[in-house]
Amino acid sequence: MSALIARDLRKIYPSGLEALKGVDLRVEAGDFFALLGPNGAGKSTLIGILTSLVNKSTGSIRVFGHDLDREPEQVRALLGVVPQEFNFNLFLPVAEVVINQAGYFGIPRREARVRAEHYLRKLDLWDRRDTQMRQLSGGLKRRLMIARALVHRPRVLILDEPTAGVDIEIRRAMWHYLRELNDGGTTIILTTHYLEEAESLCRHLAIINKGEIVATADIGEMLKGLRSETFVLNLRGRLTELPALGGFVLDTIDESTLEVEVSRDHSINGLFEALSRCGIEVISMRNKQNRLEKLFLDMVDNPEPGQGATESGAMPGGRA
């Protein structure tokens, strides 16, 4: 069964702004799914509709077979939402924030305390359980928002920019826990501007731009379609001149750093062999640009109908 099916979602505001233009989206149960798009593309409107915070103009939404229009309470119980903005009572203790959230779903207070302890421990917040919200750092507040969203044990977790403004250490800890949740069967839908986050965590994605889905894809298959990648190589010695390597496009950043474009007709091993023949030793390398970022920018700047679409989860017309 699909976790989420949205069909022909449209949102037209009284001003005449058409924020969504017939969006079709399918997310399979157990998937880790990225919803990507530039600012103003329609991501927040789409999530607002999914979570009943925004009224759609037309279209339908089903979550694990339950229709949002006819069964709103069942749908809300299936969803856990981590919004972009902090929306806590700043004077409540951490544990009370989670316990109170459980009460909205009819969970008895005794059971709510047990669940609150479980999720606060999982997110390394148990030692802060009596701390008032206003005393937490931004990163700890983000963790608390995840604990609050999970306390009623939703089958779908929606994360809207969950690591915005969070330092690298906390971000990676959150990544680890999200993978653990997904491995346990929770379907996760993620919006993020950190495209390395999407590449690292997600299996499928949809790109939305100007209110329309411009691409859906299996991320692994999508990345195989890259025509070329550019690598930055740190060298052992210093270059006195740029070597001539057939089939590779080279440029120097400085005397010890080389930038190389490798097309999919060539391999990294072939590059290293060519450099070795020239007496050049590489001590480290990295991608100049995140691979998903390169594809994302190509699709947003030059969208083509169905670009990047795969058979997985595809609907008619190349949309998912």
Side-chain angles (χ1 to χ4, degrees), residues 90-218:
L90 293 177
F91 296 95
L92 275 182
V94 164
E96 284 299 309
V97 169
V98 182
I99 291 168
N100 289 351
Q101 179 73 9
Y104 295 135
F105 293 92
I107 299 168
R109 193 167 180 84
R110 179 178 295 180
E111 173 64 16
R113 288 195 188 101
V114 173
R115 294 191 189 190
E117 179 175 352
H118 170 78
Y119 290 111
L120 291 175
R121 286 189 183 279
K122 281 287 186 181
L123 288 155
D124 294 325
L125 287 169
W126 183 241
D127 60 343
R128 307 286 187 116
R129 60 189 178 276
D130 297 320
T131 303
Q132 288 187 349
M133 278 294 308
R134 61 192 176 93
Q135 297 174 306
L136 296 183
S137 67
L140 294 179
K141 287 176 183 174
R142 292 283 179 197
R143 291 192 204 181
L144 180 57
M145 291 172 79
I146 295 175
R148 184 182 64 172
L150 290 171
V151 70
H152 66 290
R153 296 176 181 167
R155 295 177 69 183
V156 180
L157 180 63
I158 299 175
L159 300 152
D160 194 5
E161 302 285 349
T163 57
V166 172
D167 67 44
I168 293 175
E169 183 179 355
I170 291 179
R171 188 187 308 166
R172 292 193 181 279
M174 289 170 66
W175 288 3
H176 176 78
Y177 184 55
L178 293 175
R179 287 192 188 97
E180 186 179 303
L181 276 175
N182 183 242
D183 289 343
T186 302
T187 304
I188 299 178
I189 301 172
L190 170 73
T191 79
T192 180
H193 284 295
Y194 299 114
L195 295 188
E196 75 276 12
E197 188 167 66
E199 182 177 344
S200 173
L201 294 172
C202 301
R203 289 186 286 278
H204 298 91
L205 65 77
I207 296 176
I208 186 170
N209 190 37
K210 298 179 181 179
E212 298 180 289
I213 300 293
V214 298
T216 61
D218 174 295

Side-chain angles (χ1 to χ4, degrees), residues 220-233:
E221 291 300 316
M222 184 178 178
L223 292 174
K224 291 178 183 177
L226 276 172
R227 290 185 292 273
S228 67
E229 292 185 67
T230 302
F231 297 93
V232 176
L233 311 179

